Amino acid sequence: MRIVIAEDSVVIREGMARLLHHHGHTVVAETGDGESLRAAVASHRPEVAIIDVRMPPHHTDEGLRAAIALRRDHPDVGILLFSQYIETRYAAELLAGRSGGVGYLLKDRVSAVEDFLDALERISAGGTALDPEVVTQLMRAGRRTDPIDALTAREREVLALMAEGRSNTAIARSLHIGDRAVEKHISGIFTKLGLPMSQDAHRRVLAVLRHLDQANG
């Protein structure tokens, strides 16, 4: 896989590049700001860009806004936001823009290298990789009343696995319940959120995010 890394911390950037090289991927460019990122993607046309949310000059949401521009100008390039922070202002716009090829993971919640690499593979293949906490924060930002409060504990667990792009079968296996039970919980989630049902795992999550994008608009 051909990858561009946009991360202003040299230590993190070079460490990530070595990790990816070790696992057979090619880092075609490393950048430390949004403008350099856009130039690198235009020049190298990677399969995935890994982007920190906060980068120079102001360390607020420069990376996120650069990701939105890349999504518009290079829709075939997968986007993985990899950050310590959840920025809700533009995140729904990025995640809901089109189906698949997008992810948002939190650095301190990725506990295994295999999970990070698996997320990259899914994004490259057109899937999603969303930390459940990102989905939760977007929901809270997009509604005056928190829709999470309407979900049962089990529905929240199912939603968390949906956010990772898991299929019904994978959710059932993870929670040690039957497929029919998963379907029932997903139906309950979508009913409470006022959303149409979909059987495609990542499209289900993107439907939630599109709804939030409209609420934020």
Side-chain angles (χ1 to χ4, degrees), residues 47-49 51 67 70-71 74-81 94-95 98-104 119-130 202-203 206:
E47 293 166 76
V48 177
I51 306 169
L70 291 180
R71 196 80 158 147
H74 305 283
D76 56 324
V77 176
I79 301 291
L80 172 58
L81 294 176
L94 171 70
L95 297 172
R98 69 174 174 83
S99 297
V102 65
Y104 196 148
L120 282 176
E121 293 289 350
R122 275 184 284 151
I123 291 168
S124 177
T128 57
L130 305 176
H202 74 265
R203 288 181 189 274
L206 291 171

Side-chain angles (χ1 to χ4, degrees), residues 102-117:
V102 65
Y104 196 148
L105 299 179
L106 300 177
K107 291 177 180 177
D108 60 355
R109 285 167 58 91
V110 176
S111 58
V113 170
E114 292 75 14
D115 293 340
F116 179 72
L117 297 173

